[in-house]
Amino acid sequence: MTSPRAFAGWVAAAAAAVAAPTLVAFNLPPSSTFLNQAASLVGWGAWTMLLALAVPRFLPALAGADRGAHALLAALLLVGASALASPAWSGLPWTLALSAAGMLAAAGLVASAALAVQRQGRGEAAFAAFCLALLAAGLAGTLIGLVQVYLPEWADGGWVAASTLAGRAVGNLRQPNHLSSLLLWAMVAALWLAESGRLPRRWLPVLLLVLLAGVVLTASRTGIVGALLLGLWGLVDRRLSRAARLQLWLVPLACALLYAMFAAIAHHQQASFAAEARLHGGGDISSSRFGIWSNTLALIAAHPWAGVGFGEFNFAWSLAPFPGRPTAFFDHTHNLPLQLAVELGLPLAALVMALLLYALWRAWRLAGEGTASDVSARRAALAMVVMISLHSLLEYPLWYAYFLLPAVFAFGLALGAPAQPQAASAGARSGVLLAGATALMIGGAASVADYRRVAVIFTPPPGAAPLAQRIAEGQRSWFFGHHADYAAATTAAHPSEAMEAFVRAPHYLLDTRITIAWARALAERGDVDRARHLAARLREFRNPLSAEFFAECDPSPAQGGALPFQCEAPQRRYDHTDFR
């Protein structure tokens, strides 16, 4: 058994790993969530190190893991290998490939740690610490959401991030869907803590209502579907107590009542309730997802076997002709199976998805075996995995460390083989886990220092070096050099003088500014037809920021003369492979 003192240490480390990253409000351009993700890497490194100290032997525990666990780790390995191969295969910049591979390696480490502690019979104690941290994060997220909706003047960016979506709770993660998923996880955590006796059962109804109120304030349709999924859990899981099942059944009804309450408050204040406005606002209910999925299927049909390359969806999609495309600059398909299929190709994507589905099936089977307390923890962990899997069919939460690492930890606990403690001396600790945890902590901290090399380009402190010098220093960044390239390309008086910047910057996100700069650079170099192709693709986005660029295409008769390159159609057909 874990001593109370050791358990207190686990709770503290779990809070640092799970809760702290979701509460970081301060951030620096160019990424609004980078510091949250860096905090997650450091926190999970500390948490994994503590888990390693609780596991006498790591390798035997992993060797005896369930087949589903091996499937999960194999899927992570395959995707990580694809990320490392992408620079040679598809031209993905090494800065992006290393970031993705490092994140997947961290996921494999965390999943392995979960498998190990479960194998050693300490999974339930670890899960309790994890759930307490999730509950704390959820309650804090709800409070932050209430401030953002009802006291927005308090959201100064120091402790509470300002919401860019009026009337919607976004938390300090700055996305309503992300906050809703965090709160749904916290609801699962609260239910299990009450069922396991670690939380007074009389607290559960209040906690569930508070967290559900936060979900409603996000006005997230994904969150509402997740709430319905909780009701379904209450229907199918007969091992839960009658009180817990009843409360889960009532979640959809409570969601409707909270919706009505918040709508009434808004009407009384003569204000708009965001969830009501979204429900009755008409327009595209999919928020352009149907359009992006249609375009993705067309890309898959064009590149079925090897895909467009890991991390290259935005690059390939932006450079392919789609006259009716969604006008937002999508950097992801918003659907995990489609993302794998378009980037890895159908054969490899099918293999990865088969491994993940097999792991999910094995977790379902294991959730029906073992002791009552072990099964209860496994089922709660599996519920968390299913919840984030649902979110991954409509968004891409697993591309963020603060969702990926908790998800694989829960998955690992659900897949861990039944406890079989190994005979070992107290000093025979897991060197593999400890080394990996140390590397994760150092890597997370080092990424912050590396990020500062590009952040100073966009938010220079007093007395900062000239812009050109800051850009040159930022371009030497290991993980974020593409941001410095973006600055170089979009600030150059003559973009053709910064052609090296276009090797990396367009692979991160092809938005209006970088596309215009790239088209002008190509035209200045005499590569006019490819410049026309870029202009034609930009025109499809119908972005107001490109109005000035295309204004030259409507000259008065008195002007006469040849039209600029952006006003003419390309003479041949191109795709993304012509721009690597």
Side-chain angles (χ1 to χ4, degrees):
M1 295 291 293
T2 302
S3 68
R5 187 172 182 178
F7 180 70
W10 283 24
V11 172
V18 176
T22 67
L23 302 179
V24 177
F26 176 75
N27 244 302
L28 292 170
S31 171
S32 62
T33 59
F34 167 74
L35 292 180
N36 302 80
Q37 298 206 65
S40 185
L41 293 174
V42 174
W44 276 94
W47 173 228
T48 305
M49 181 173 291
L50 196 59
L51 294 178
L53 294 174
V55 179
R57 288 187 179 177
F58 172 64
L59 290 177
L62 184 59
D66 184 83
R67 294 187 301 275
H70 290 285
L72 172 62
L73 295 176
L76 293 173
L77 180 62
L78 285 173
V79 180
S82 299
L84 290 176
S86 194
W89 172 250
S90 61
L92 183 73
W94 274 107
T95 53
L96 295 171
L98 289 174
S99 297
M103 193 74 74
L104 288 161
L109 175 73
V110 170
S112 299
L115 292 168
V117 294
Q118 186 74 298
R119 183 70 168 171
Q120 292 294 319
R122 305 186 184 187
E124 190 177 344
F127 189 59
F130 176 68
C131 285
L132 284 169
L134 269 180
L135 179 56
L139 292 173
T142 299
L143 179 60
I144 290 168
L146 286 167
V147 170
Q148 290 169 333
V149 173
Y150 293 109
L151 296 167
E153 64 276 10
W154 288 13
D156 60 357
W159 293 96
V160 177
S163 175
T164 57
L165 302 170
R168 296 183 69 182
V170 299
N172 284 348
L173 298 178
R174 295 169 173 80
Q175 291 193 45
N177 285 338
H178 284 193
L179 177 59
S180 69
S181 283
L182 174 65
L183 299 182
L184 290 168
W185 270 358
M187 292 175 72
V188 176
L191 184 122
W192 181 79
L193 288 168
E195 284 288 276
S196 65
R198 290 173 170 82
L199 199 69
R201 289 178 183 268
R202 64 182 180 276
W203 291 7
L204 183 59
V206 176
L207 291 173
L208 292 181
L209 278 175
V210 169
L211 294 167
L212 189 59
V215 173
V216 174
L217 286 176
T218 65
S220 166
R221 289 174 291 222
T222 304
I224 300 303
V225 174
L228 296 177
L229 191 61
L230 288 176
L232 180 62
W233 182 22
L235 287 174
V236 302
D237 193 348
R238 297 185 179 275
R239 293 211 181 193
L240 292 172
S241 67
R242 289 184 66 182
R245 295 185 71 197
L246 177 61
Q247 290 175 77
L248 288 176
W249 294 343
L250 292 175
V251 163
L253 176 61
C255 190
L257 292 175
L258 286 167
Y259 173 93
M261 183 187 76
F262 287 128
I265 292 173
H267 296 163
H268 178 72
Q269 297 176 338
Q270 296 184 334
S272 174
F273 177 42
E276 186 178 40
R278 295 196 83 204
L279 182 63
H280 301 294
D284 181 7
I285 192 172
S286 75
S287 300
S288 297
R289 285 175 180 79
F290 293 156
I292 198 65
W293 292 342
S294 176
N295 291 171
T296 301
L297 290 172
L299 280 176
I300 292 171
H303 306 275
W305 303 115
V308 299
F310 180 91
E312 290 286 81
F313 166 73
N314 172 261
F315 186 75
W317 172 67
S318 300
L319 293 176
F322 288 115
R325 72 166 74 239
T327 56
F329 294 99
F330 279 84
D331 57 355
H332 199 284
T333 68
H334 288 63
N335 180 277
L336 179 60
L338 284 179
Q339 184 76 16
L340 294 174
V342 73
E343 291 193 345
L344 307 185
L346 289 174
L348 184 54
L351 176 58
V352 172
M353 284 305 303
L355 289 169
L356 292 175
L357 289 173
Y358 177 74
L360 200 60
W361 177 74
R362 287 300 305 164
W364 175 272
R365 292 293 301 271
L366 288 169
E369 304 171 0
T371 63
S373 61
D374 181 55
V375 166
S376 174
R378 288 179 188 275
R379 291 191 174 206
L382 179 58
M384 292 178 183
V385 174
V386 171
M387 198 70 70
I388 205 66
S389 298
L390 170 68
H391 191 172
S392 296
L393 297 179
L394 301 168
E395 290 278 347
Y396 51 106
L398 297 179
W399 266 247
Y400 295 85
Y402 43 76
F403 280 124
L404 175 63
L405 301 183
V408 295
F409 180 75
F411 214 164
L413 286 179
L415 287 168
Q420 292 183 9
Q422 306 286 333
S425 65
R429 302 301 182 187
S430 168
V432 176
L433 271 181
L434 286 173
T438 302
L440 186 54
M441 291 176 64
I442 293 174
S447 70
V448 176
D450 195 41
Y451 183 76
R452 292 182 61 188
R453 300 166 78 180
V454 297
V456 72
I457 298 172
F458 301 91
T459 53
L467 177 61
Q469 185 177 334
R470 300 200 307 272
I471 289 175
E473 172 62 22
Q475 287 175 317
R476 291 191 285 271
S477 165
W478 282 31
F479 300 112
F480 310 103
H482 48 276
H483 289 302
D485 287 341
Y486 180 96
T490 55
T491 59
H494 298 284
S496 60
E497 297 175 354
M499 287 303 295
E500 299 83 0
F502 296 104
V503 174
R504 292 190 298 185
H507 292 266
Y508 179 68
L509 178 67
L510 264 174
D511 63 8
T512 299
R513 291 186 65 197
I514 192 66
T515 304
I516 291 174
W518 198 8
R520 284 179 169 156
L522 291 174
E524 289 171 4
R525 295 283 291 261
D527 197 348
V528 177
D529 205 48
R530 286 205 302 160
R532 291 174 182 147
H533 178 85
L534 289 178
R537 303 290 70 77
L538 180 61
R539 190 184 292 274
E540 293 171 348
F541 284 96
R542 304 181 293 282
N543 191 284
L545 295 178
S546 63
E548 183 179 351
F549 180 62
F550 290 115
E552 302 176 53
C553 299
D554 188 23
S556 63
Q559 286 180 290
L563 291 174
F565 72 90
Q566 64 264 38
C567 309
E568 299 178 339
Q571 299 302 302
R572 53 161 289 198
R573 187 179 179 89
Y574 298 90
D575 67 10
H576 69 285
T577 60
D578 298 300
F579 290 84
R580 288 173 176 168

